[in-house]
Structures are given as C-alpha cells and as structure tokens.
Amino acid sequence: MKEAKEQRELVLPETRPEVRKADGEPAKIIGYAVRWEQLSRPIFGMFQERFKRGSFTASLVNPDVYASWQHDSREVLGRTPNTLVLTEDDIGLRYEITPPSWAEKHLETIERGDVRGSSFIFRPVVEEWDESNPDMPIRSIIEAELFEVSPVTTPAYPQSSVGIRSAEEIFKSRPHSEADADDQEEEQRAAALLDLNMRLRKLNT
C-alpha cells in the first residue's frame, strides 16, 4: 500500500520566499521548500525529521507538480514544466514560480515580509529511522515524491491536514527495534500516543 501524503513547512530567514523582478521579464516568486539535513522541531513531541540531499531527484524527472497560494487549489500560481521550475541545489529544493497577473496582491505580501514561509506536500518513498535516542527518534527521508509547493503565511512544522498521515501513524509505522518489545517501553509508548491523540483533538477543535 502506498504511503499517504504528508505536509511540511519551512521558515528560515535565509530560505524565505522572495519576489524578483527583472526588466522585460515577469515577476517570479523564488524560495526553498526543503533545506537539506535541516532537523525539524519535534513533531508532536514524538520524533524529528530531516531530508537527505537529493531526496527529490527521482520525483523531478518529468514532474507534475503545482504551486498554490496558501495550499488553496483554487489559486494555482504555477505548474511544471512551464510556470513552475524545481531544482535541487546545495541548499535544498528550490522553486521558481512565474505567477499569473491576478496574483499581484500576493506578491506584495511577500515583498512586505508578511508571508515568510514555504510549504510542500510529499509522499515518502524511502525512509530510515535512527533510534539511538529512544526519547526522540530521527526520521530521515531518503527519497520522496513531490506534489505541491506553496508560499504560506503562518507555517507550523509539522502540519496535519486532510489526506495527510498524522504524526501518530508515521510513528507507529516505523520499523521496530527489539527493545520495543520491552513491556516498560510499550507502556511509555502508549502514554505518548495517548498524549498525542489529546493534542491532535485540541488542534482540530
């Protein structure tokens, strides 16, 4: 069974989206959806995550990816291969959007610094888990399929949304070590999952 789609956000001063305008050329929105090896904040207190360099290489071969405003599919800003260009460089996964004329109002909010984050939707293909710290395992994304990128106003890493696996499901589906069979660890895990469920319910109210 294929893994479900997941959504993540990135807010870093050096990778925030920006608007570039050159004489005789349309304005472009440029930013980074992913920064390689950037360790996330704890995801619902369960684990941390990072993307390995080149994790989207396979996905960028003849991609069908679109860019939207605030993940609103009614406001599509661009689409590969013509109005959305995706590249992997030394920093991470870079996007370059050539938006339509009606998006001028959105360009202004980026230029003013009101919109400071980038978000993306992906599906993990290959992942690894490092459980050397049992209190905070690290999930490394080795290969992923990309579906959407989006400038966003108030990103929160991570983000749950419709059609995206919850952090609980990701955590439960990871490979288990022999230590997981220990009764005490199982009790701790059950307590952590209960706490996660309570926090998820609060987010959805």
Side-chain angles (χ1 to χ4, degrees):
M1 185 178 70
K2 271 195 171 184
E3 303 285 2
K5 295 178 183 178
E6 301 176 35
Q7 180 177 323
R8 297 289 185 269
E9 283 76 26
L10 181 68
V11 185
L12 295 168
E14 65 270 27
T15 56
R16 64 191 294 177
E18 61 178 287
V19 176
R20 293 185 185 176
K21 298 178 180 178
D23 292 339
E25 295 184 9
K28 297 181 185 297
I29 302 172
I30 297 173
Y32 282 87
V34 177
R35 185 180 175 89
W36 308 135
E37 301 292 348
Q38 178 71 40
L39 198 61
S40 73
R41 298 194 297 271
I43 297 179
F44 291 114
M46 302 293 288
F47 61 93
Q48 291 179 282
E49 185 178 71
R50 62 188 172 197
F51 284 78
K52 293 292 187 178
R53 181 172 180 171
S55 52
F56 291 96
T57 300
S59 182
L60 298 185
V61 178
N62 299 319
D64 183 13
V65 181
Y66 70 92
S68 66
W69 182 254
Q70 310 282 2
H71 283 301
D72 187 343
S73 60
R74 296 168 298 180
E75 295 199 52
V76 176
L77 300 175
R79 192 162 196 154
T80 56
N82 298 318
T83 52
L84 170 62
V85 177
L86 298 161
T87 54
E88 291 181 315
D89 61 19
D90 291 339
I91 297 174
L93 177 65
R94 182 179 185 270
Y95 63 82
E96 183 176 304
I97 307 167
T98 304
S101 58
W102 56 258
E104 185 66 33
K105 59 183 179 181
H106 297 326
L107 302 187
E108 182 181 0
T109 61
I110 295 175
E111 290 178 308
R112 297 195 318 178
D114 301 333
V115 173
R116 303 175 182 176
S118 298
S119 177
F120 63 103
I121 293 177
F122 73 102
R123 177 184 290 128
V125 177
V126 180
E127 62 185 56
E128 293 179 351
W129 287 85
D130 177 0
E131 299 194 61
S132 55
N133 178 3
D135 294 327
M136 188 58 61
I138 296 175
R139 181 198 196 198
S140 295
I141 304 297
I142 310 301
E143 182 182 342
E145 184 178 3
L146 185 66
F147 297 92
E148 180 185 349
V149 296
S150 179
V152 289
T153 306
T154 54
Y157 193 130
Q159 174 76 29
S160 292
S161 65
V162 176
I164 299 173
R165 279 196 306 176
S166 69
E168 177 186 5
E169 291 173 321
I170 300 169
F171 190 74
K172 290 169 66 178
S173 67
R174 81 195 194 289
H176 293 282
S177 64
E178 293 181 1
D180 290 330
D182 183 85
D183 291 340
Q184 184 176 1
E185 290 189 4
E186 287 297 330
E187 290 178 3
Q188 293 174 346
R189 191 179 310 284
L193 290 175
L194 177 61
D195 179 66
L196 170 63
N197 283 327
M198 293 177 64
R199 278 185 274 177
L200 286 172
R201 283 197 293 270
K202 289 180 180 179
L203 286 175
N204 292 325
T205 58

